[in-house]
Amino acid sequence: MTGPRMRLQGRRAAAMERARQRLTVIAVLFGGVFVLMAARTVELGLFQSISEPRRDLVQTDGVRVSRADIVDRNGVVLATNLQTQSLYADPARVLDPLDAARKLTKVLPGLSEAALLEKLGGDRRFVWVKRKLSPRQVWEVNALGLPGLAFQQEEERVYPQGRLAAHVIGFADPDGRGLAGVEHSFDLRLSDVSRVDTPLRLSLDVRVQHALSDELDRAIRTYKAKAGAGLIMDVQSGELLALSSLPDFDPNHAGAVTADALFNRASQGVYELGSAFKTFTIAMALEAGVVDLTSRYDAREPLRVARFTIRDDHPQKRMLSVPEIYVHSSNIGAAQIAQDVGSDVQREFLRQLGLLRPANLELSEVGQPLVPDRWRDIATMTIAYGHGIAVSPVQLASALATMVNGGYLVPATLIGHSAGDVPKRPRIISNETSEKIRKLMRLVVKKGTASKADVPGYLVGGKTGTAEKARAGGYAEKALLSSFAGVFPIDKPRFLVFVLLDEPQGTRQTANFAGGGWTAAPTVANVILRTAPILGVEPKQEKEDLYRQAAYHIEDTRRHP
Amino acid sequence: MRQLLIVGIAMLVLLSAAGLYGLKHKVQTKREAVLALEEKILADAEALRVLQAEWAYLSSPAVIQDRTVRYLRLRPLAPDQIIGDLGGLPYRLDPFVVSALPNDDIRPVPSPRAKPSAPVRDALALSSNTVEEIRKGDRLAVLPVSKAVSADKGTKGEFAARMERALERVGGR
């Protein structure tokens, strides 16, 4: 420090001194805080150990789809949502519409160049080019390097099983709304955001469904039928393991599906199913005590009631016992049994079985049964053998399952009940009546019209139905609705297989017969053969004495087919 | 002294600034890494769903049936090929008995006890579909039936006769 120092006067020197002190204080304060923060930073950076990552900082919920999956009873995926890219364009940004249209139609199949050119040349700001592209197509469009195009991520509903169970699953429109089947009837549940992660579990089994569809398709081709329907039901719980209606459609390409293919013949179609109703006639007669297995009826001549004549398809022209009426499918006998039981009892019995109102199935495609509004005597007699009333196959299956499972009502269901949630099941017929019906069903297959349904080892029982289709002004001669309902194994029934063929024609192998025992019964036999191992039914020996009691009342006058 | 203090404070400021920015940079890098991982997880989860859908398609019964018919010689199962009751199986032949047999080329081949049953009745007219062709064939494709064991002819083949004699000698059956 050289040179003269300025010595400040007294008062200003004091002010300066005060200012200097204040600055020092502030500086020390700032310095202190700064040192504190520096020390804290060092501490955080060097000495802090991270024990657990903070969960709220990381968001990995997984994929968020907008619609729940549909799976079968074993977890096989039936419908799922996958992410796809959809291509759109901003025509204002497209530099050369002609070039762009040409290149795009080369890369994306199914686009018309003229329509695309019009879209790209217009003055809208947003046009779809093509929705739901595959990853390869996305790559190729990107490789074109055209301006004005962009992708939007969309979800596509994919049905990996193709045509299988198409009527049950249904399909959804491109915006994810269900239009048919389970997709439609459970639309709210499937698009419920809080339940999107839980798949909807159906009672179907795809392996069994395929076996049924395959055999039904083969039968339709073999007998040149117009259409067919089939179902497999668990008789103890009412769960539908398979539901098939042909012709069917591919839900992946449901745009151009015809109304005929969409029609669910198993649940929505109502038909006069014919002789299967004799099961109910005899069951109600046995239950009411009006007949027993030894009662006999006169079937020597056709019955004449008012202006109608009731004939047998396989006329035996003799007195028939009740088992024989069932086994030989005698309309005359059945009509007389129903007369003895009475209209009121018959109507109440069928009502309890659920045959007079639509099936309580979880689909919206459920048909309303056709029932006579005035249940006159003639109606009672024709309904006894299945004409004059039209029900859907699902209703018939539920009612037949009730007959054989010990007598309690099992409504058909596609969802299946969880283990603890067993609904109340009213008892319709007694255990003894159910046992008698089972024996009669076994005899139909062993000695009666359904001998072609027998599969050795699986104790198949059932009832054929051959109904002439009603045409305008009476019944058509050759147009038949052939059906067979098979239950196996008949001593402890577990499953019911029902097959219906619409207008089958006889072949050389069937000696030109096209009835239920010739066309539907062998189809059911093939289905049972294929599905019994999957369903866990073991082949076993039959105990002959189980049927002796009923068989004694059947004269063995049948001619071997 | 004051200059030293100033220099010291300046150094402190610079060092702590450097440290702070370094830390911030590290945190930012980590955060970007986390985001990248999240995206990858999302992409993998979506890929999983696509693969599950593809698996459902490839293992669908229609596809498997088509491939079975084309590449395998398997035929539909018949009820008599299913053994439900394991207790009903016959016992094996005693190996000591077998090794005492005189002839080397007699080996215990389980011969069918009953005539091979006819294929389960298939009443449908069969078209030229491959599946139906296979159904037409016989169902007992388990063992190739040698010419010597001609059970369906009713007469005992030479092999079976030798076998019976050998067993009589040894006392088993």
Side-chain angles (χ1 to χ4, degrees):
Chain A
M1 288 203 282
T2 58
R5 263 232 218 107
M6 293 268 290
R7 289 239 179 245
L8 299 166
Q9 306 303 327
R11 233 189 14 205
R12 280 160 104 192
M16 287 289 278
E17 190 57 37
R18 271 204 303 278
R20 207 175 72 87
Q21 281 169 355
R22 281 175 190 159
L23 275 174
T24 317
V25 163
I26 291 170
V28 163
L29 227 65
F30 264 103
V33 169
F34 190 80
V35 164
L36 212 70
M37 289 208 296
R40 177 78 179 139
T41 308
V42 167
E43 181 201 340
L44 278 176
L46 292 179
F47 300 122
Q48 186 119 107
S49 62
I50 299 171
S51 49
E52 186 65 36
R54 284 174 57 186
R55 290 248 164 236
D56 50 338
L57 291 177
V58 174
Q59 288 183 347
T60 43
D61 322 306
V63 183
R64 275 256 153 244
V65 284
S66 54
R67 201 169 170 81
D69 290 353
I70 302 178
V71 296
D72 84 335
R73 72 189 294 124
N74 301 315
V76 174
V77 173
L78 299 174
T80 183
N81 265 22
L82 297 179
Q83 309 275 9
T84 52
Q85 310 278 41
S86 291
L87 180 62
Y88 67 93
D90 183 358
R93 294 235 171 105
V94 175
L95 293 177
D96 186 356
L98 193 62
D99 178 53
R102 201 161 8 101
K103 286 193 176 145
L104 281 172
T105 44
K106 244 191 287 194
V107 160
L108 300 173
L111 278 183
S112 106
E113 197 173 326
L116 189 56
L117 186 60
E118 201 183 309
K119 268 195 257 185
L120 292 178
D123 49 356
R124 290 162 58 193
R125 292 308 300 270
F126 181 99
V127 284
W128 283 117
V129 173
K130 186 160 187 219
R131 296 178 80 162
K132 310 218 164 110
L133 300 177
S134 71
R136 174 157 205 82
Q137 288 170 330
V138 166
W139 191 92
E140 283 175 356
V141 168
N142 273 327
L144 290 175
L146 296 165
L149 301 174
F151 288 104
Q152 187 172 70
Q153 209 162 35
E154 278 200 316
E155 284 181 13
E156 185 184 4
R157 192 77 167 159
V158 168
Y159 303 94
Q161 304 293 328
R163 309 176 83 93
L164 202 61
H167 288 99
V168 173
I169 303 170
F171 59 95
D173 69 3
D175 297 312
R177 258 193 320 257
L179 295 178
V182 163
E183 290 267 31
H184 176 69
S185 50
F186 282 87
D187 199 28
L188 286 174
R189 148 65 176 102
L190 289 170
S191 42
D192 181 4
V193 187
S194 62
R195 295 167 76 181
V196 136
D197 291 325
T198 331
L200 178 67
R201 192 167 276 256
L202 301 180
S203 63
L204 294 184
D205 185 330
V206 285
R207 309 164 294 175
V208 171
Q209 172 82 27
H210 171 75
L212 178 67
S213 277
D214 196 38
E215 288 298 335
L216 195 61
D217 180 53
R218 194 156 148 241
I220 288 176
R221 278 183 291 122
T222 310
Y223 302 113
K224 301 190 182 51
K226 265 176 45 183
L231 59 89
I232 300 182
M233 175 193 268
D234 179 336
V235 302
Q236 304 293 338
S237 65
E239 287 177 333
L240 283 172
L241 287 135
L243 188 84
S244 180
S245 167
L246 295 174
D248 60 5
F249 57 96
D250 185 355
N252 290 307
H253 306 106
V257 64
T258 61
D260 189 46
L262 255 184
F263 187 69
N264 187 340
R265 288 166 169 84
S267 67
Q268 196 171 17
V270 290
Y271 311 97
E272 285 182 321
L273 288 171
S275 309
F277 269 72
K278 293 189 178 101
T279 319
F280 311 129
T281 308
I282 292 182
M284 73 184 172
L286 287 171
E287 186 75 4
V290 170
V291 300
D292 58 32
L293 288 184
T294 57
S295 312
R296 300 175 76 80
Y297 285 90
D298 186 352
R300 282 176 295 198
E301 281 178 6
L303 272 179
R304 278 194 175 65
V305 184
R307 54 189 170 92
F308 300 104
T309 310
I310 297 177
R311 278 178 231 281
D312 278 350
D313 288 331
H314 320 274
Q316 302 290 315
K317 295 194 175 38
R318 55 187 174 89
M319 299 286 287
L320 295 175
S321 63
V322 166
E324 281 175 326
I325 291 174
Y326 193 65
V327 164
H328 296 304
S329 208
S330 163
N331 298 340
I332 302 169
Q336 290 175 40
I337 294 177
Q339 268 187 318
D340 285 349
V341 173
S343 307
D344 295 328
V345 176
Q346 186 189 47
R347 182 174 40 207
E348 180 59 23
F349 190 74
L350 296 182
R351 190 193 66 79
Q352 282 181 352
L353 284 175
L355 290 169
L356 303 185
R357 23 160 229 285
N360 192 13
L361 195 61
E362 296 92 348
L363 292 177
S364 50
E365 297 98 10
V366 173
Q368 173 83 24
L370 301 174
V371 173
D373 20 305
R374 280 186 308 155
W375 207 286
R376 299 172 297 166
D377 273 350
I378 183 65
T380 308
M381 291 164 80
T382 59
I383 288 175
Y385 56 91
H387 283 66
I389 182 173
V391 298
S392 63
V394 168
Q395 287 176 282
L396 184 77
S398 293
L400 285 175
T402 305
M403 295 286 106
V404 300
N405 68 6
Y408 51 94
L409 190 66
V410 274
T413 172
L414 275 172
I415 299 301
H417 314 291
S418 41
D421 168 36
V422 176
K424 257 184 353 160
R425 293 210 186 110
R427 180 172 274 284
I428 310 292
I429 57 174
S430 66
N431 226 337
E432 292 82 33
T433 311
S434 177
E435 206 180 309
K436 288 177 188 158
I437 295 292
R438 293 203 291 267
K439 289 178 183 169
L440 291 178
M441 280 189 168
R442 179 63 182 147
L443 286 169
V444 168
V445 172
K446 280 170 61 113
K447 286 174 183 269
T449 55
S451 52
K452 289 186 175 308
D454 201 10
V455 185
Y458 290 125
L459 307 190
V460 180
K463 186 72 190 77
T464 56
T466 309
E468 284 155 9
K469 288 173 77 166
R471 292 283 164 82
Y475 285 86
E477 267 286 343
K478 271 297 182 181
L480 297 175
L481 269 170
S482 300
S483 63
F484 179 70
V487 178
F488 74 104
I490 199 66
D491 54 344
K492 285 191 185 60
R494 288 181 59 191
F495 300 102
L496 180 142
V497 180
F498 178 77
V499 161
L500 170 73
L501 292 170
D502 190 350
E503 294 189 27
Q505 296 166 26
T507 63
R508 261 190 37 199
Q509 267 84 352
T510 68
N512 260 349
F513 292 117
W518 292 93
T519 55
T523 311
V524 169
N526 285 334
V527 171
I528 292 177
L529 194 63
R530 277 172 80 159
T531 59
I534 301 172
L535 294 167
V537 179
E538 279 177 15
K540 57 187 174 188
Q541 292 276 45
E542 185 165 17
K543 292 199 192 66
E544 294 296 332
D545 54 297
L546 279 178
Y547 314 103
R548 213 178 295 148
Q549 182 209 11
Y552 275 155
H553 302 288
I554 297 182
E555 254 178 66
D556 210 349
T557 57
R558 72 179 168 127
R559 275 173 285 282
H560 196 89
Chain B
M1 175 58 198
R2 201 188 283 163
Q3 277 179 340
L4 197 62
L5 197 67
I6 289 173
V7 165
I9 290 176
M11 287 291 293
L12 200 65
V13 165
L14 281 172
L15 278 173
S16 52
L20 197 73
Y21 278 110
L23 195 68
K24 180 174 174 172
H25 181 71
K26 262 195 273 190
V27 166
Q28 203 144 31
T29 317
K30 285 246 155 48
R31 191 167 284 161
E32 279 166 19
V34 162
L35 277 170
L37 272 175
E38 277 178 29
E39 271 187 43
K40 190 163 186 306
I41 289 175
L42 224 68
D44 281 347
E46 181 55 33
L48 257 174
R49 291 176 58 84
V50 171
L51 285 172
Q52 273 169 353
E54 196 174 334
W55 171 256
Y57 166 71
L58 286 173
S59 57
S60 66
V63 170
I64 290 188
Q65 175 168 319
D66 176 60
R67 298 209 175 154
T68 308
V69 159
R70 263 198 273 174
Y71 303 123
L72 300 177
R73 299 170 69 83
L74 293 176
R75 287 165 187 167
L77 205 59
D80 48 4
Q81 291 175 289
I82 303 172
I83 299 172
D85 174 28
L86 287 176
L89 288 177
Y91 287 102
R92 294 177 74 113
L93 291 175
D94 191 334
F96 290 112
V97 165
V98 168
S99 57
L101 292 175
N103 240 319
D104 274 278
D105 56 351
I106 297 179
R107 289 278 174 268
V109 171
S111 58
R113 303 250 168 151
K115 185 172 142 174
S117 57
V120 173
R121 178 183 23 241
D122 194 320
L124 305 182
L126 301 174
S127 74
S128 59
N129 189 308
T130 330
V131 178
E132 288 145 16
E133 292 235 324
I134 285 180
R135 281 202 190 97
K136 249 195 273 191
D138 80 89
R139 275 172 167 62
L140 293 183
V142 179
L143 284 175
V145 179
S146 69
K147 258 172 39 174
V149 183
S150 49
D152 50 337
K153 278 223 204 82
T155 57
K156 266 198 235 152
E158 197 194 285
F159 173 91
R162 275 158 80 194
M163 186 64 183
E164 264 195 331
R165 267 176 286 153
L167 285 171
E168 267 171 40
R169 267 200 295 270
V170 201
R173 199 46 185 241

